[in-house]
Amino acid sequence: MKRMLIALLLAAAAVPAAARERVPAADSRITFVGRTLVSETGAVSFDWSAVTARIAFTGGYLALEAGDTGKDYFNVWIDREPSAEPDKVVVIDRDTTVVLFRQKERKPQPHRIVIQKRTEAEQGRVTFRAFEVEGTFLQADGLRDRFIEFVGDSYTCGYGSENSVREDPFRPADENPSKTYADILGRYFGADVLHISHSGQGIDRNYDDAGRGWHMPQRYLQTFDLAKEPAWGFEGKKPDITVIYLGTNDFSTNRQPAFSAFKEGYIRLLKAVKAHYGDAHPILCVAPMHSPDHHDYIRRVVESCGLPNVFYAGLPAQVHDNEADLGASWHPNYSGHLKKAYSLIPVVSTITGWPMESKPVE
């Protein structure tokens, strides 16, 4: 019996421990979608909502070394394409190591992980420093052929989208861009999506006049939402279409800007998009559903801007129900965002030439 025990111990000792591989977050095998800044050490920092990383590897373990200036929530999908519901949600609120995937495997198997920032910049700037696996890193899926850029406010961030009680206050845990019209459109068309969005922001006037002089036309040019420098270089893959969904906050608290000021700010944003993507680049300007004034202002801007390939779509007041389709702080919940997406799918299809297909919108 003693000899058998010794033999078993020697056999166990002969089995090598699973090899670990650690790489900086900027490793070429890892794909990021969104505006990021890479440091000399290979760390990747970002603060915009919905920035996404794709990681592929073999083995039963994946960990992320990261830090955050605040407290951010992240969606994680395991071995499948992203959907409205993640497989898990993780939190990063300090310098920490987060285990994204762990399971026992007799033989290392290939896996894919997608991680997406749920919360917007006001909750924190995150830095992904390194990933570590028990196994080997593989080349993750690259950027998709189709690419949509969204410029918006709290609706595009997914403010309150996880909640279904409109009177409830906002909680960061209830913010989820994967349940917005933007990500729903991306999933329908099989496109990557880029969110340039910040709650409370407008074209010429932010909610209740907060941050006067610093609005989405200015933020659009930035690498980080909350920092004016460095400027974004507009390098890499160019989107196929830019969708601008702004205006609600310009008309907030029973006030509105003069049309001349609104037009000047909106055309500044349109010209910034055109300057970096070219005159042929299509821009869809979506008018919110809240009042006819929104529609009138944006329609007049599109008609008078003098720029080619700029389109208008106005969402009617009945696009979603103001009770069942609202989440926290009277913002659209997932059901409300689905209805917005349904309304915009044919418009995006016509502008881009991407066909509409008979498949679920989710």
Side-chain angles (χ1 to χ4, degrees):
M1 186 69 176
K2 186 175 181 180
R3 289 180 180 177
M4 183 180 295
L5 179 59
I6 292 173
L8 289 172
L9 290 172
L10 289 173
V15 176
R20 292 205 175 201
E21 183 178 6
R22 181 183 181 277
V23 299
D27 187 274
S28 61
R29 290 167 290 181
I30 297 168
T31 299
F32 280 88
V33 183
R35 293 186 178 181
T36 63
L37 184 67
V38 178
S39 74
E40 293 181 356
T41 63
V44 179
S45 297
F46 52 92
D47 67 353
W48 292 104
S49 171
V51 172
T52 298
R54 299 184 184 124
I55 310 99
F57 61 98
T58 62
Y61 176 85
L62 172 68
L64 164 63
E65 297 175 20
D68 204 300
T69 62
K71 181 179 180 180
D72 279 297
Y73 292 76
F74 294 82
N75 289 323
V76 178
W77 293 274
I78 302 170
D79 290 333
R80 67 185 181 96
E81 290 298 313
S83 64
E85 296 290 346
D87 293 317
K88 64 191 294 187
V89 176
V90 298
V91 177
I92 300 174
D93 62 355
R94 62 188 183 281
D95 291 335
T96 186
T97 297
V98 179
V99 176
L100 300 177
F101 178 76
R102 190 202 304 267
Q103 72 177 25
K104 291 183 178 180
E105 295 182 341
R106 284 188 171 184
K107 183 179 179 181
Q109 300 296 317
H111 299 286
R112 297 178 301 142
I113 297 290
V114 179
I115 179 169
Q116 177 193 52
K117 191 172 188 286
R118 286 170 61 111
T119 33
E120 57 187 291
E122 289 185 334
Q123 304 303 322
R125 179 190 295 186
V126 66
T127 298
F128 285 6
R129 296 194 177 95
F131 290 95
E132 183 176 68
V133 295
E134 286 183 354
T136 304
F137 284 94
L138 306 173
Q139 179 61 56
D141 291 339
L143 296 177
R144 296 173 177 172
D145 291 339
R146 295 176 179 177
F147 189 20
I148 308 174
E149 177 181 74
F150 293 92
V151 185
D153 51 31
S154 54
Y155 288 2
T156 306
C157 291
Y159 184 110
S161 61
E162 285 279 7
N163 192 309
S164 292
V165 180
R166 64 185 186 180
E167 292 83 8
D168 280 358
F170 169 75
R171 300 184 313 147
D174 291 334
E175 192 165 41
N176 187 356
S178 73
K179 289 189 173 180
T180 64
Y181 75 96
D183 278 29
I184 297 167
L185 282 169
R187 289 193 291 269
Y188 178 83
F189 286 111
D192 277 325
V193 297
L194 170 68
H195 291 233
I196 305 300
S197 57
H198 184 119
S199 291
Q201 293 291 296
I203 291 290
D204 178 70
R205 179 174 177 266
N206 297 333
Y207 183 82
D208 201 22
D209 290 305
R212 191 68 188 164
W214 193 14
H215 313 292
M216 285 310 295
Q218 289 80 24
R219 291 180 188 272
Y220 178 74
L221 301 174
Q222 301 169 184
T223 297
F224 296 108
D225 181 5
L226 294 187
K228 296 180 181 180
E229 298 292 340
W232 179 244
F234 290 91
E235 299 168 350
K237 187 175 177 63
K238 187 182 85 169
D240 297 289
I241 183 174
T242 296
V243 178
I244 300 174
Y245 190 163
L246 289 165
T248 300
N249 294 301
D250 291 271
F251 290 78
S252 64
T253 60
N254 297 316
R255 296 179 60 194
Q256 69 187 58
F259 175 71
S260 58
F262 184 87
K263 178 181 177 180
E264 180 182 351
Y266 211 117
I267 291 180
R268 182 186 300 117
L269 177 56
L270 293 175
K271 286 183 174 179
V273 176
K274 293 289 187 179
H276 293 98
Y277 301 144
D279 284 343
H281 180 75
I283 304 174
L284 174 60
C285 305
V286 180
M289 56 183 278
H290 295 282
S291 95
D293 290 336
H294 293 81
H295 289 226
D296 181 59
Y297 270 39
I298 296 176
R299 177 182 53 78
R300 288 165 62 190
V301 167
V302 171
E303 290 175 350
S304 63
C305 70
L307 299 170
N309 299 307
V310 179
F311 305 92
Y312 165 83
L315 295 178
Q318 296 77 22
V319 74
H320 66 65
D321 181 84
N322 281 331
E323 292 187 9
D325 296 327
L326 290 182
S329 298
W330 294 69
H331 282 69
N333 57 26
Y334 179 49
S335 175
H337 279 287
L338 274 171
K339 292 181 179 180
K340 290 179 185 291
Y342 269 107
S343 300
L344 293 173
I345 283 172
V347 182
V348 173
S349 172
T350 298
I351 293 171
T352 61
W354 297 339
M356 290 182 62
E357 302 178 37
S358 297
K359 64 180 184 180
V361 179
E362 55 189 10

